[in-house]
Amino acid sequence: MAFNLIACASLPSESRAKPSHALESAASRSTRIGQWVDSGNARHPGLSGFHPLSDGLDAFVARLALIEAADQTIDAQYYLYHDDLAGQLFLQYLLRAADRGVRVRLLLDDLSIARLDKTVAIANEHPLFEIRLFNPLATRGWGRSVQLLTQFDRANRRMHNKSFIVDNQLAILGGRNIGNEYYRNSAVEFADLDMIHRGIVVPQISREFDRYWNSLLSYPAESLINKTVTSEDKQQLTNELAKAAGSVAGQQYINRLKQASLLERITSGGMHWYWGDVSVYADAPEKILAPVSDRSAHLSPRLLPYIDSATRELVMFSPYLVPGKEGVNYFADLVNRGVRVVLITNSLASTDVAVVHAGYSKYRKDLLEAGVRLIEVKPHAAKGEIHKTITGSSRASLHAKTFIIDRRYLFVGLLNLDPRSALLNTEIGAIYDTPEMAEDFVSGLSQLDRGGFWELKLTENGIQWFDCNPECRAVSNKDPESSVFTRMGIFILSLLPIEQQL
């Protein structure tokens, strides 16, 4: 009986969610940030400025700095939110902003906060801090696992979007969630990439946030989480956040924040900005409910014309690469047209999702036979060294999703080259028409010869992994730095009919 009640639990009426919107342009220009960036924007009419955030520490400090500088609004949207140091510092700074009168809207995918209902309820009690949960499960606590199984078709489709916008004047878009592994405070560090934006692109990013925030799939936290919040609960959370900020690792972030003011660098010209045209593309929230065969709400078809336009070179970074037969044929056609195709992904030793690697490994030979240059990231740099690529430290697992077309167009976003990104989850990203930045990113590939990657080649002995440090030499005919048991597990996983879920 209890099982049936949990399985059939229904969500509350969507009418409880009142729509709200980004700060109007006139009000946003009157904020401190608006005044700081206005003169620079005016020198580049009709264009947008963007600055890559490849270092995880700097990417987190940038978020804290923008929170501190906010006057009117903060809008944040994340797929994963962890209750670790990064999550606690992020929440502490957001609550401080709300205390000084800033409206905070935080939109989270519900699957990531299964054990954080109490924290969410406390933060959501603040009159200027509103939290909404996307595509939630009605059941909280121990019953969630039951409902996850009984409503798998819906619960399996998630909001993968990440964006962060302050006063509708500066916005961060990219691959990082809120968790230690994204910000250089974890044994497994994700090498990722964010872009900070200014100019006319920022309202585009805000419109996409509003579209998700006001979607019928976004539920006010208080409509789902039935927890009484006492003054003692609030004080306990305040104490926990203060303890996190006072820790050695917490002080590392805060000292970096004090030493290098992001806003001073913006106003003084100390930060290099690329300027150009940029277009933001996102899946519609309704993709979650639409049949997989319905592509009308999908992001990927709108990116294909850019890729199809390639005449010389296509370089793609994707941590999770499962091209399928259709993708292999597509890349083969590009190669036959004379396009140099380079795919960069995680090795078995560096991946954080083994089952996805199982899906990818089936297509390595086909990709190589098609003439694709295939490169895999090592799990760490050479001993005693920290090698940098355009996505950060090569000690890490690749997490950036980026592609470069003919050294003109650059895509930065959340879209992996796998069925889950294309068909199941919602994604967002931007195309930058900025040859200077695209050229700089491709130049970063010179780091491939400094020990951070393996290149795969087809030889008479099958696939071999080559180490190009300093000269290319074959090092293995099986996945390097992996055990026989791991490789056996990957082989077994590759036999399962689950490719569409990867």
Side-chain angles (χ1 to χ4, degrees), residues 162 175-177 182 190-192 319-320 346 397-401:
K162 298 120 187 170
R176 291 185 175 96
N177 291 291
Y182 299 92
F190 285 137
D192 218 322
Y320 314 119
N346 277 308
S397 174
L398 178 69
H399 196 255
K401 297 91 174 169

Side-chain angles (χ1 to χ4, degrees), residues 262-291:
L262 177 76
L263 297 173
E264 284 181 9
R265 291 171 59 201
I266 292 174
T267 55
S268 67
M271 178 181 289
H272 175 67
W273 292 88
Y274 297 97
W275 291 89
D277 292 318
V278 56
S279 299
V280 176
Y281 297 99
D283 290 315
E286 294 74 28
K287 176 184 178 182
I288 294 292
L289 301 177

Side-chain angles (χ1 to χ4, degrees), residues 455-489:
E455 180 164 359
L456 281 64
K457 296 182 180 182
L458 269 181
T459 70
E460 59 183 13
N461 297 318
I463 297 177
Q464 287 195 301
W465 281 255
F466 284 73
D467 191 336
C468 295
N469 182 33
E471 296 179 357
C472 287
R473 58 186 177 86
V475 294
S476 181
N477 59 1
K478 53 184 177 290
D479 292 272
E481 299 189 27
S482 64
S483 70
V484 63
F485 298 105
T486 299
R487 294 193 297 273
M488 287 176 57

Side-chain angles (χ1 to χ4, degrees), residues 374-395:
L374 194 57
I375 293 169
E376 294 182 357
V377 177
K378 291 182 180 180
H380 51 74
K383 185 176 180 181
E385 299 177 356
I386 298 176
H387 297 304
K388 292 286 185 177
T389 68
I390 64 169
T391 55
S393 169
S394 61
R395 295 172 300 168

Side-chain angles (χ1 to χ4, degrees), residues 2 19 30 84 144 169 192 195 198 228 253 266 269 287 342 354 365 375:
S30 68
D84 53 17
R144 282 173 66 88
Q169 285 290 315
D192 218 322
M195 201 78 75
R198 62 191 290 180
T228 302
Y253 289 126
I266 292 174
K287 176 184 178 182
V342 182
K365 183 178 179 181
I375 293 169

Side-chain angles (χ1 to χ4, degrees), residues 95-158:
L95 285 167
R96 287 180 179 175
D99 285 342
R100 65 173 191 269
V102 178
R103 183 196 71 180
V104 178
R105 297 189 295 174
L106 179 59
L107 178 60
L108 300 173
D109 185 89
D110 182 57
L111 214 59
S112 76
I113 60 160
R115 300 178 181 177
L116 296 178
D117 279 2
K118 189 71 171 182
T119 299
V120 168
I122 295 170
N124 199 56
E125 280 272 305
H126 196 293
L128 289 177
F129 198 135
E130 185 178 0
I131 300 176
R132 292 187 183 178
L133 307 179
F134 190 85
N135 193 24
L137 295 174
T139 302
R140 321 305 292 179
W142 66 270
R144 282 173 66 88
S145 298
V146 174
Q147 196 170 57
L148 181 62
L149 291 173
T150 58
Q151 299 184 14
F152 181 77
D153 285 347
R154 176 180 69 85
N156 183 44
R157 306 180 70 173
R158 309 312 315 172

